Amino acid sequence: MKKIEAIIRPEKFNIVRDALTELGYPGMTVTEVKGHGSQKGISEVWRGRRYRVDLLSKIKVEITVQDTDVEKIVNTIINEAQTGSIGDGKIFVFNVENVYRIRTKESGDTAV
Amino acid sequence: MKKIEAIIRPEKFNIVRDALTELGYPGMTVTEVKGHGSQKGISEVWRGRRYRVDLLSKIKVEITVQDTDVEKIVNTIINEAQTGSIGDGKIFVFNVENVYRIRTKESGDTAV
Amino acid sequence: MKKIEAIIRPEKFNIVRDALTELGYPGMTVTEVKGHGSQKGISEVWRGRRYRVDLLSKIKVEITVQDTDVEKIVNTIINEAQTGSIGDGKIFVFNVENVYRIRTKESGDTAV
Amino acid sequence: MCLSLGWGFFLFNQVFAGDPGGANTYTESIQGLKFSVNFAWTLLSAFLVFNMQAGFTFLGAGFVQKKNTLNYLSMSFVDFCVGALVFWLIGFGLMFGGSGLAPGLSWGNRFIGYSGFLLIGDSYDVSTAALWMFQIMFAATSCTIVTGAVAERFKFHAHIIYSIFLCAVLYPVFGHWMWGKGWLELLPFGVGARDFAGSGLVHGIGGLTAFIAAWMVGPRYGKYNPDGSSNVIHGHNLLYIVIGTLTLIFGWFGFNAGSTLAVTELRVSIIAVNTLLAAASGAVTLLYLSFRITKKSDIIMTCNGALAGCVAITASGAYVPPWAAIIIGIIASLITRISLYLIETKLKIDDPVGAISVHGANGLWGLLSVGVFSDGTYGGVKGLIVGSGWQLLAQFISCTTLIAWCFSASFLFFFVLKRTFGLRVPVNAERSGIDVYEHGTGCYPGV
Amino acid sequence: MCLSLGWGFFLFNQVFAGDPGGANTYTESIQGLKFSVNFAWTLLSAFLVFNMQAGFTFLGAGFVQKKNTLNYLSMSFVDFCVGALVFWLIGFGLMFGGSGLAPGLSWGNRFIGYSGFLLIGDSYDVSTAALWMFQIMFAATSCTIVTGAVAERFKFHAHIIYSIFLCAVLYPVFGHWMWGKGWLELLPFGVGARDFAGSGLVHGIGGLTAFIAAWMVGPRYGKYNPDGSSNVIHGHNLLYIVIGTLTLIFGWFGFNAGSTLAVTELRVSIIAVNTLLAAASGAVTLLYLSFRITKKSDIIMTCNGALAGCVAITASGAYVPPWAAIIIGIIASLITRISLYLIETKLKIDDPVGAISVHGANGLWGLLSVGVFSDGTYGGVKGLIVGSGWQLLAQFISCTTLIAWCFSASFLFFFVLKRTFGLRVPVNAERSGIDVYEHGTGCYPGV
Amino acid sequence: MCLSLGWGFFLFNQVFAGDPGGANTYTESIQGLKFSVNFAWTLLSAFLVFNMQAGFTFLGAGFVQKKNTLNYLSMSFVDFCVGALVFWLIGFGLMFGGSGLAPGLSWGNRFIGYSGFLLIGDSYDVSTAALWMFQIMFAATSCTIVTGAVAERFKFHAHIIYSIFLCAVLYPVFGHWMWGKGWLELLPFGVGARDFAGSGLVHGIGGLTAFIAAWMVGPRYGKYNPDGSSNVIHGHNLLYIVIGTLTLIFGWFGFNAGSTLAVTELRVSIIAVNTLLAAASGAVTLLYLSFRITKKSDIIMTCNGALAGCVAITASGAYVPPWAAIIIGIIASLITRISLYLIETKLKIDDPVGAISVHGANGLWGLLSVGVFSDGTYGGVKGLIVGSGWQLLAQFISCTTLIAWCFSASFLFFFVLKRTFGLRVPVNAERSGIDVYEHGTGCYPGV
Ligand SMILES: Nc1ncnc2c1ncn2[C@@H]1O[C@H](COP(=O)(O)OP(=O)(O)O)[C@@H](O)[C@H]1O
Ligand SMILES: Nc1ncnc2c1ncn2[C@@H]1O[C@H](COP(=O)(O)OP(=O)(O)O)[C@@H](O)[C@H]1O
Ligand SMILES: Nc1ncnc2c1ncn2[C@@H]1O[C@H](COP(=O)(O)OP(=O)(O)O)[C@@H](O)[C@H]1O
């Protein structure tokens, strides 16, 4: 199994989720994070002065899927989350050695 | 070393932690997350209308342990966090290539 | 590629980031977490009574880099985040199987 | 207002030159003391009404999404500031000129006033200032009501422009008809149209303008699906909603009981009781109605019910007995429930805080309730329950006039504004949050 | 209340038919103006007391866990609304019937009143309404005090049911004895039992009922360990606690100084000063006491100390000199500290906000303090410091009566309620948070 | 204050023995009623001013970082409590002794008072208590202003120590000169120096002490870079800032209009209008000025502008016409903008909430504005606009005196405090947050 970890724009989250739901995915875990990559931050204003904020709000979506589903899911995320401007985010793929479903104590592939 | 990443019910967190403490575990990192798996959300009410909330609050617990301790820890979490109904959560196990303890610059197994 | 996951003291975050910026790193994702390791918590006060808080605020910094950069980044983090007392944090290194840049659909090494 | 009863405590028939020091108006006599007591009452009530701004701020902030909170706060605060300046410059003169209620307000006819601008000359007077102080709070309230309905997508500076329009023209003109010895106040039915503390004038104008504004700016991104069904976009803080409601009721006591402008009108105590009972009955009604429907004790509906009761009793609080206040509150809360449904589902107008249903619909109901429940014990106002239909006719005429004036004037205004300045922020700004786009920071920076 | 001194400003010996318009009560004379001034004072004070609801809401919200915040807010808001309706229907008549304090309150005896229901008939009168308006705020405060002690596990609708009981029966009956020309007020010791603004009546009843309620519903899940030791379950927002405390003190000025019902009683200024000094000395005492114990400047204890001072001075504020107010505040804060310890550790009753210790314990201390520190400069009340023990006896009797009445009546009530409707939400709901269970949403949705 | 005009409503020429019950002061006569009305006005205004503590708490909490919020709250709350006790003990007697404004205040000279301590003896009197009640609110406000400038690094107990100093000595001494029949009030230019409601006394002393304190404690860790440039350290909640501003303005109506201590001075209405207009014009000015500079509608600057207008009009509100209030507000907001820049960039003093610029700078401007815009319609105060320069001279002298006194006394004080007790928390505590270090918990525990 693989864990897909996508960092996307907060305002894109709903669309991504809807697209994934249509596709059918086993589950997801969502975290509010901040970050930056090439997008080096924006400038905000505090009491009349501009200052740089170099960490922007992002949503981290984690989905663990069977190895065969990775591409499908990744493509869907990219398609929906893309705007073409800097700050669209990244997707990382990790290997998952084992999965357990707490409710049933199942483990391995069927537990995803 | 392995990283055990458990997504559990918030109300189960204290019990799980207490059980793990008895067992003796090296440390943990806790994050508030949201998510869903088979549990497809609940319905909430806003100004007289019901609506679906499909992301529910969960607690993500990350514990990095020696390979030999994985089973013990996983079993303890499952035992304590289980209620038997949908929404109990999942546990993912990842391989950790290296660990450093910032305080001492140690790395590898002893750093966990 | 490797993911470096560092858990550091919140008050050290700015310094670490500045040091990393000088070094040049591709991007980072930051999450507010809580945790404990050897540092078993501190005592706080609520309405005249002391109680133990065993989860302390930490900052989790995730940086995915080329394999060759790992050491450099890890050393910088350790140097900057170290105070020498318990609670300085840990760094975990994971293998990343693939990376995608959402904006451009690139994947692999160039996408980091 | 009591003023409209012709009993105004500012009896200036003799002295019509301004008395800015107050030494001529106050004399060591019963008459002088009466002035002082009523000044104290009027000013302290005005301060309480001012505090409703904090209430609106809390309430609206709770109803909007986190990313648009600061924008709501800013609109609600700035429209008050701009409104105050405009009302000082123009609005007050248009509204009260010719009413003769205080020095410097001599010129005006039944349709429009034209004296009292800038509080200079004869209107640089302690009584005129007291009246101004109370009235600006009402104008500003009317303005702030609109804010909630257009929140989360309206351009900040477009909001300021219509605030100017509302405080300079829209509100004062109708206000003159109703409270400035205008034609509605002097209608030959019953005692003339009566809107005691401004159900119609303040809340009606606010709510109906909100209707036009929310309709013309369009719904928030994602509020309606292609098939016409609507989604719930929930707010971010219910503590703010409850605190906002409590703060509003606190201010409302000043709003209603203060509207006699005179505590020598002892009726004030019954007005206060009526306000409280209408709020309580409205709240409890919607609590249990919602409970029947959703099986949850819905506190937002409860708050809406309380406010609906307050709005409705604003016109009639002085004229009806306590038991009637309870009925008025119950009906008001039902109207709100139905209106919320119709506006969202049938008319497909997106109103994040429910301003149209709470203030607009009940502004009209409040006006009518005067014609129904007034028992003749105060101000000679007699409604259906004591067997007279004439007052209801007067109230009905004022309702129709209100709708006609408010819809036509604000439609025209927003139409032009939309074509010129534009009403709406770019969709990207809306999606990622107006706060950073308009104000350069979120409400909770660093979060 | 000054009323209880027999000097009541509502002098209706002549006119006992209702005057709903106020025109007969007010006349252009010293007497008429006196009415107006006192109406203004009473009503504005009532509004300030109303605002204490916002204070309680903030305070309690800060003390509870995030997942139960909305539930606390809802209980605190809804009990006010329900309480107002019930007090209008029943409570007021039971409490003030026979007191002769205002028109329509003629029938009643020393044990119970039976006139003034629904504010109709003779009690449809401006003076009666003013009295009602002030009194409902007190009844509602009493009710809201209980909320904090049972928070985080009580059923929402069970809470509403006991609110009805409290405002309809529990509070009015004792209230009648104390303020409605009942037997305690007329005790033949000293000037009779005196509870100026309701330390015992309002805070005592609230706090003692809270004791019974918190005991019968049991501690929160996880509060006590099997070995009987207790855990800290901390609240979620200290800003709310501080703001709540400030808002409560703000309202308390109206609560205490307003309780003369007459600003022609110039003693009001000393009452206000006493309130402030008692709050300040209570706060500073607990700040430094806690600092000695925990080495931290514990702001929650400081806030508790301030409120404890306010509660205690509520009974005696009118009768004691400023220096005594400071001593009363210091003692009150010490009592709170000890009581918090005893309740939690010895009696093992779980009181999330500390209502029992702040309001209950100091309600009793307040009553007694009248008998100790009154210096005879106002209302003829003379305590130990001027060498008379009789007043203390009267106060002691009222204390005992309060405890006996409140414990027995509320025990019976909660016992029946527990067996029938049930008091407690299911443990699952408690663990995952009552907000979603009862109200269908959390306080901070989307979080 | 009107008192300083020599018209004081407390006419005690006859009776100078204390009247703690009020029965001698109040008589059933015009004179008696006048007392009552003015008591009501003074006390209710004092309550409103008290509520400014909640405003300051919100405002400052919004301006500081999350990790230091509780510390700010605590300082702001505790300095009030400690201040009240100290003012009762010492400050009030030093300030008003010899003013003859109320019973028990007979002894004192032009430089210092020495009667009225502890409100005992002759000063145990209803009038003296009313005066005390109003005045303590002002002393405490002055104290709280300093808090904001030293936030996020000051030792908690050092803060308490200087609060004692400020309320016991620093403020009362200058206060005596200005309001207690001291030499400034009696200057032979114009009508003597006038500071109606305390621009200079309350806000000036607060702001200038803040200047010294913030300078001596040094900037927050990380505020300035080695090259002298400064970083933005932003606050954590803009809703608190907006609500705080609204709450402050609400209280300011009591602050300014209440400072006549008499609503029989009908000028109060114009004072209230002036306060509102100055706030509104200050807000709108900075809104658009900031918009020109940063292209964002900066709501913090808008709030600062509103408060700046309020501060400046505090001295002159009673003497100037409404149009002048607007100009005063505009100038005040510009002064704030410039001062913020100078303090941060040139003087390199770190003031997290902007207290020095809003209160200090405008305290001085307020004093001067009396000499410029007073039109002679009230209190005989005539400024440049009616062709007299003498008043401006008196105002100028009071400004200079204020600066000299405040800078020298507070410099000395903080110098000694720094050498002995120390002013600053350890840098580690500062970096990880003062809340846990000083108070043992964060403001939002569990977060
Ligand atoms: N190398 C990286 N390691 C960890 N997180 C990263 C990395 N690069 C990007 N991110 C995350 O992805 C988000 C989007 O990155 P960004 O630079 O905006 O993307 P792009 O390069 O496509 O413009 C960042 O905010 C950060 O959270
Ligand atoms: N495939 C998955 N990938 C990532 N997170 C998952 C996945 N499945 C479940 N989760 C996480 O686990 C939590 C519990 O899942 P749930 O469906 O309730 O478990 P179960 O399948 O045992 O009922 C979810 O809220 C989500 O955060
Ligand atoms: N084995 C572990 N698994 C997961 N997280 C850990 C582990 N050990 C430490 N951490 C994280 O690192 C943080 C710092 O750990 P700490 O015990 O203070 O470090 P040290 O051992 O160097 O004193 C903890 O708060 C926790 O979030």
Side-chain angles (χ1 to χ4, degrees), chain B residues 27-29 62 64 101 103, chain C residues 35-39 58 87 89-90:
Chain B
M28 64 162 64
T29 301
E62 290 163 287
T64 299
R101 165 172 288 138
R103 173 163 50 95
Chain C
H36 70 98
S38 328
Q39 186 188 25
K58 300 281 167 187
K90 297 237 167 85

Side-chain angles (χ1 to χ4, degrees), chain F residues 194-196 198-200 308-317 319-320 328 332 335 359-373 395 399:
Chain F
R194 284 293 171 268
D195 185 2
F196 178 65
S199 274
C310 286
V311 170
I313 207 66
T314 293
S316 48
Y319 312 120
V320 305
I328 292 171
I335 290 175
H359 298 277
N362 286 302
L364 300 176
W365 160 234
L367 276 182
L368 295 179
S369 72
V370 172
V372 179
F373 290 105
Q395 299 304 120
C399 265

Side-chain angles (χ1 to χ4, degrees), chain F residues 336-398:
Chain F
T336 300
R337 182 74 186 74
I338 295 167
S339 170
L340 278 173
Y341 174 78
L342 291 181
I343 299 280
E344 175 162 348
T345 315
K346 299 292 162 204
L347 301 179
K348 303 207 188 306
I349 292 175
D350 183 16
D351 176 0
V353 312
I356 303 170
S357 303
V358 171
H359 298 277
N362 286 302
L364 300 176
W365 160 234
L367 276 182
L368 295 179
S369 72
V370 172
V372 179
F373 290 105
S374 295
D375 64 359
T377 50
Y378 186 71
V381 188
K382 295 203 180 74
L384 287 185
I385 62 160
V386 288
S388 159
W390 290 112
Q391 188 63 39
L392 188 54
L393 178 62
Q395 299 304 120
F396 183 79
I397 294 173
S398 68

Side-chain angles (χ1 to χ4, degrees), chain A residues 3 25-30 62-65 99-104 111-112, chain B residues 7-9 33-40 54-58 85-92:
Chain A
K3 174 163 95 162
Y25 65 100
M28 63 161 67
T29 300
V30 176
E62 289 164 287
I63 304 180
T64 299
V65 294
V99 180
Y100 303 82
R101 165 172 287 141
I102 293 177
R103 173 163 50 94
T104 57
V112 172
Chain B
I7 319 278
I8 59 174
R9 294 178 187 274
V33 301
K34 304 188 158 201
H36 69 99
S38 328
Q39 185 188 27
K40 285 292 179 229
D54 45 23
L55 292 176
L56 303 176
S57 287
K58 300 282 167 189
S85 19
I86 272 184
D88 275 355
K90 297 237 167 87
I91 301 176
F92 306 102

Side-chain angles (χ1 to χ4, degrees), chain F residues 210-280:
Chain F
F211 181 95
I212 299 291
W215 171 54
M216 302 229 4
V217 74
R220 285 167 291 175
Y221 179 91
K223 176 66 192 178
Y224 291 97
N225 302 319
D227 65 358
S229 64
S230 70
N231 300 310
V232 168
I233 301 181
H234 59 70
H236 83 293
N237 194 317
L238 278 86
L239 182 128
Y240 292 169
I241 294 180
V242 174
I243 289 287
T245 304
L246 286 169
T247 307
L248 282 171
I249 299 176
F250 176 46
W252 230 300
F253 292 130
F255 201 101
N256 285 359
S259 278
T260 55
L261 299 184
V263 71
T264 49
E265 295 293 317
L266 300 183
R267 183 75 179 187
V268 289
S269 64
I270 289 177
I271 301 172
V273 169
N274 284 348
T275 305
L276 182 62
L277 288 177

Side-chain angles (χ1 to χ4, degrees), chain E residues 67-83:
Chain E
K67 63 185 179 184
N68 300 325
T69 309
L70 181 60
N71 180 247
Y72 178 83
L73 299 176
S74 306
M75 296 203 296
S76 151
F77 179 57
V78 172
D79 65 22
F80 187 94
C81 295
V82 170

